[in-house]
């Protein structure tokens, strides 16, 4: 038995109806709609919205960084800065370097990558409420590190010694310590 195009597009309501009366369409469905977190969802928010589907990561459990406290965000920034600038020790010396110095050895692309990560640290500082004068100084450190880092070999040595990320996180910590909680 073949179906006509009209039956495919708008099926006969009596054809697919179950005898129990509890189908997925129409008045047969009863009870609230519950999301995966156990919260009730309003039916009017389901389906396509005028602007498309809304994605709100700040209030969702999909964003692992959405509900961090100020101290947790600062600890994450501090760990990232140490990884970028002082994670390793050059054997036989007391010189510390990080992933920033290693990635910076890749001409141009490495410096762009490390500058982008450093800019993310500044963005996080701004999200923590850092004032414009502090973020301007932080951006200056990132710019100096990025521009001088473009120079082959000498720029990489400067990256190892300047430690822009550790400086920026230290400035942010000092500013946050002065602020009321």
């Amino acid at each position: 038995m073949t179906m006509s195009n009209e039956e495919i597009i708008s099926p006969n309501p009596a054809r697919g109806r179950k005898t129990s009366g509890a189908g997925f369409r129409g008045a047969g469905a009863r009870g609230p709609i519950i999301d995966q977190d156990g919260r009730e969802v309003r039916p009017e928010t389901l389906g396509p919205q005028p602007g498309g589907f809304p994605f709100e990561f700040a209030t969702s459990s999909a964003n692992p960084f959405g509900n961090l406290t100020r101290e947790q965000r600062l600890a994450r920034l501090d760990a990232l800065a140490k990884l970028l600038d002082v994670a390793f020790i050059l054997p036989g010396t007391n010189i510390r370097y990080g992933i920033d110095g290693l990635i910076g050895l890749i001409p141009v692309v490495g410096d762009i990558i490390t500058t982008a990560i450093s800019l993310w640290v500044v963005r996080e500082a701004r999200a923590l409420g850092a004032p414009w004068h502090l973020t301007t100084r932080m951006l200056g450190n990132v710019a100096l590190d990025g521009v001088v880092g473009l120079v082959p070999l000498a720029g990489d040595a400067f990256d190892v010694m300047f430690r822009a990320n550790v400086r920026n996180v230290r400035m942010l910590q000092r500013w946050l310590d002065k602020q009321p909680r």
Side-chain angles (χ1 to χ4, degrees), residues 35-137:
D35 70 356
Q36 63 202 21
D37 294 327
R39 295 184 298 252
E40 186 173 345
V41 177
R42 296 188 322 265
E44 60 269 8
T45 62
L46 297 175
Q49 302 295 317
F53 284 105
F55 291 105
E56 297 179 18
F57 291 115
T59 59
S60 171
S61 63
N63 184 1
F65 305 124
N67 298 324
L68 295 178
T69 65
R70 183 171 83 169
E71 288 77 21
Q72 290 171 329
R73 290 174 86 172
L74 192 59
R76 181 182 65 190
L77 289 177
D78 188 44
L80 178 64
K82 287 179 180 175
L83 177 68
L84 286 171
D85 291 339
V86 293
F88 312 109
I89 298 175
L90 192 63
T93 66
N94 200 13
I95 298 173
R96 298 186 71 89
Y97 65 97
I99 293 178
D100 187 0
L102 295 175
I103 296 174
L105 291 172
I106 303 169
V108 182
V109 176
D111 294 309
I112 291 172
I113 291 169
T114 57
T115 301
I117 296 171
S118 297
L119 286 173
W120 182 79
V121 172
V122 176
R123 183 216 162 269
E124 281 290 307
R126 189 70 184 143
L128 284 170
W132 66 271
H133 60 86
L134 182 66
T135 54
T136 303
R137 287 183 60 197

